[in-house]
Amino acid sequence: MNAPIGVFDSGVGGLTVAKEIMRQLPNESLVYFGDTARVPYGSKSKKTVCKYSKQIVNFLMTQNVKAIVIACNTASALAREELEELVDIPVIDVVQPGAKMAADSTKNNKIGVLGTESTVKSGIYEEYLHKINPEITVVSKACPLFVPLVEEGLIEDRITEDIVGRYLHDMKEYEIDALVLGCTHYPLLRGVIGREMGEAVKLVNPAYETAKSLKEMLREKNLLAPASSKAKYHYYVSDGVDKFISFADSVLPCHVDETTVIDIEAY
Ligand code: DGL
């Protein structure tokens, strides 16, 4: 089926997921929406995140998408169920695949989870991890300063190293051997986080497993684009086109030449 896949995030972080989908599903077209006017979601209530996410999904439905990928851990944690009720196309989130990947990665059953305040407060990773294996111990930490650091492009910077060091200081005492980067911005800080935690800790980026689950789901439902189709990518934001494009160009393998601003409140 040639229809595009709708991918959304509170801003630019979901591009790390879009990138992985482009790599694993090179024939699939994507419509990406980044809610750059209302980012961050990570400090907002469930009610607000659900309202924003529903508006975005309503918009994506106008683009005739065949499936939705919630490329935001916060929206996955707080709004997945509401979104599934809203539409009758498949909805994939990033948390379930991330939890599965972490459970597959750990050898000592001690897993760390980094996320936004709302994701950590929701306890969603613990819930999924305990469903997979009740023996797993989970230590979570909200890292609210990571998102602005990434948005400002301070990827390899002394300030970032300092903040990563402070956030992860306690985590190091728990002898975890897998650490979930449970926010779509965080994989961009994997260099600094990896150095801080050391080689014995496997960093889990849910994007890889999310794209894999998406592929399996599309195959099962007979929704895969034909091998002959050429992928087209369309980008929409709620504000700040120039900043979005320069960020997207630094993350994605292909140049983003056009991004459209839409009034998301109208949906
Ligand atoms: N992209 C969001 C997530 O994965 C983090 C950014 C935000 O707080 O909106 O949770």
Side-chain angles (χ1 to χ4, degrees):
M1 193 190 187
N2 251 330
I5 297 161
V7 180
F8 80 90
D9 178 41
S10 55
V12 294
L15 291 168
T16 60
V17 180
K19 177 183 169 190
E20 192 56 34
I21 297 173
M22 291 170 182
R23 197 179 70 80
Q24 291 191 38
L25 289 157
N27 302 111
E28 298 294 338
S29 293
L30 304 183
V31 177
Y32 183 93
F33 178 80
D35 201 357
T36 43
R38 304 188 293 193
V39 68
Y41 283 10
S43 52
K44 297 197 169 75
S45 67
K46 181 177 167 80
K47 191 171 163 224
T48 302
V49 173
C50 283
K51 180 185 147 196
Y52 290 175
S53 303
K54 281 181 178 172
Q55 288 174 327
I56 296 168
V57 168
N58 286 336
F59 162 69
L60 291 173
M61 292 306 281
T62 68
Q63 305 299 301
N64 298 320
V65 295
K66 63 183 172 187
I68 305 265
V69 177
I70 314 173
C72 171
N73 285 260
T74 309
S76 297
L78 304 182
R80 184 201 155 108
E81 285 170 15
E82 279 81 352
L83 297 181
E84 276 178 333
E85 280 166 21
L86 185 69
V87 292
D88 54 9
I89 57 170
V91 177
I92 295 253
D93 71 311
V94 284
V95 173
Q96 289 187 56
K100 180 181 174 294
M101 203 175 165
D104 288 346
S105 306
T106 184
K107 300 225 161 29
N108 70 2
N109 284 342
K110 289 185 186 164
I111 294 176
V113 174
L114 306 180
T116 65
E117 285 167 301
S118 299
T119 300
V120 167
K121 217 166 96 197
S122 76
I124 190 91
Y125 272 102
E126 283 89 335
E127 195 183 312
Y128 285 131
L129 284 165
H130 287 150
K131 256 189 221 157
I132 300 170
N133 178 358
E135 307 277 295
I136 289 173
T137 310
V138 184
V139 199
S140 303
K141 178 82 184 167
C143 307
L145 289 172
F146 283 3
V147 169
L149 286 170
V150 170
E151 300 258 339
E152 290 307 317
L154 298 169
I155 305 293
E156 288 286 344
D157 194 280
R158 264 189 17 235
I159 300 175
T160 308
E161 283 169 5
D162 188 21
I163 291 170
V164 167
R166 284 186 198 208
Y167 278 147
L168 300 188
H169 182 262
D170 296 345
M171 182 80 61
K172 287 205 267 190
E173 286 170 17
Y174 291 95
E175 294 175 349
I176 57 164
D177 68 351
L179 180 61
V180 182
L181 305 177
C183 169
T184 47
H185 283 70
Y186 299 178
L188 296 164
L189 297 179
R190 64 180 308 139
V192 186
I193 296 172
R195 286 199 297 279
E196 185 64 28
M197 293 308 290
E199 278 175 14
V201 178
K202 176 151 191 330
L203 300 185
V204 175
N205 175 2
Y208 173 80
E209 196 67 26
T210 302
K212 207 170 132 208
S213 306
L214 174 67
K215 192 172 177 179
E216 277 162 24
M217 184 278 292
L218 293 174
R219 187 179 294 129
E220 262 168 37
K221 296 196 184 291
N222 228 354
L223 290 173
L224 277 170
S228 57
S229 63
K230 193 172 165 353
K232 294 192 191 90
Y233 304 132
H234 290 106
Y235 304 91
Y236 295 87
V237 291
S238 43
D239 202 2
V241 169
D242 293 344
K243 199 171 174 198
F244 178 85
I245 292 181
S246 77
F247 196 95
D249 278 345
S250 71
V251 173
L252 297 176
C254 46
H255 173 60
V256 174
D257 36 33
E258 207 188 314
T259 299
T260 309
V261 178
I262 58 154
D263 175 13
I264 196 66
E265 294 283 350
Y267 293 86

